[in-house]
Amino acid sequence: MLCHEFEDRLTDYLDGTLEVHANREFAEHAMRCPVCHDLLSEVKNALLACSASEAPVPDAALEARILLQTMPETAISCADFEAHLTDYLDGFLLAPLYHRWERHAALCPSCSELPGDVVRAIGACYTSKQDELPVPAGLESRILQSTIGNVLPQEVRAPFGARLIEWLRGALDPIVSPQLASVATMLLVSVFVLTNTVSTDGSVSGIYHASLRLAERTAGNASKSSALPDGMTGSVPPTCSRRPQSDALPGRSLWPCPRCNRGAARSRGRGKSALPSCRR
């Protein structure tokens, strides 16, 4: 076996993939040739040192450099990087474009600091927005001069048509407000129902007459229910004892009390009725 053949088969020998005959020839050549023997020893020591040491932490730009060398078509330009910066900060970038954007930020020195600068600028805008700044002198007069051509606010007056429209809007606002519209709708529905059910002629005056007749009928029923029974004279006691019928004394019957519709004892042996005084 020659030395160049020894170097070509060195990896296969260390991996243990050589055949038995080739493996014996490789070992014999390493024993006879001191140069190849030293080479085999150096490679074995290097492998032992790599396996004993800890794995290095991969750099953030390592993947980007590898892909840039192997797949250069996946890289994006600085113009595309700036175009997608807002979407990146808002979190709207898709996964493939997101990784390409980050790889470009890791490799390009002019674009790597751009996201941080934009974030700090947005934070400064929010901070200054919360602080109340003093109004510059003459700002109001410059605004009036640029808009209406007059620097005296007291001489500024809206046209007659605009003032008329504003007055009509203020006068009609209570009428067209949503609360009043709902109340008006309920009122119209109630009038429609009453004119079709209570009124005899289907008019509002018919509702009024029907309510009067109903009130007279109710008053007549109340007067009939409060009339005194036959044979009873004198004034009605102002109060009632609310005594139940079982409380009637022996030898007395009960008749209805006109004040509370309960029975009051009446003596059978006397010619006149007796009303006990009541306690309510």
Side-chain angles (χ1 to χ4, degrees), residues 53-88:
S53 62
E54 296 181 357
V57 179
D59 187 10
L62 178 61
E63 180 185 1
R65 289 194 297 268
I66 294 174
L67 291 177
L68 183 62
Q69 296 295 328
T70 56
M71 302 174 63
E73 66 277 3
T74 60
I76 62 175
S77 61
C78 295
D80 295 336
F81 181 86
E82 295 181 4
H84 296 294
L85 177 59
T86 304
D87 296 335
Y88 172 80

Side-chain angles (χ1 to χ4, degrees), residues 62-133:
L62 178 61
E63 180 185 1
R65 289 194 297 268
I66 294 174
L67 291 177
L68 183 62
Q69 296 295 328
T70 56
M71 302 174 63
E73 66 277 3
T74 60
I76 62 175
S77 61
C78 295
D80 295 336
F81 181 86
E82 295 181 4
H84 296 294
L85 177 59
T86 304
D87 296 335
Y88 172 80
L89 295 177
D90 294 339
F92 293 149
L93 280 182
L94 298 178
L97 185 58
Y98 176 84
H99 294 296
R100 293 170 59 192
W101 194 93
E102 283 196 334
R103 289 197 295 268
H104 181 84
L107 293 179
C108 183
S110 61
C111 296
S112 59
E113 298 295 333
L114 183 59
D117 295 339
V118 172
V119 171
R120 285 189 292 270
I122 294 175
C125 292
Y126 277 106
T127 304
S128 62
K129 184 179 179 181
Q130 296 176 357
D131 299 335
E132 184 176 356
L133 301 178

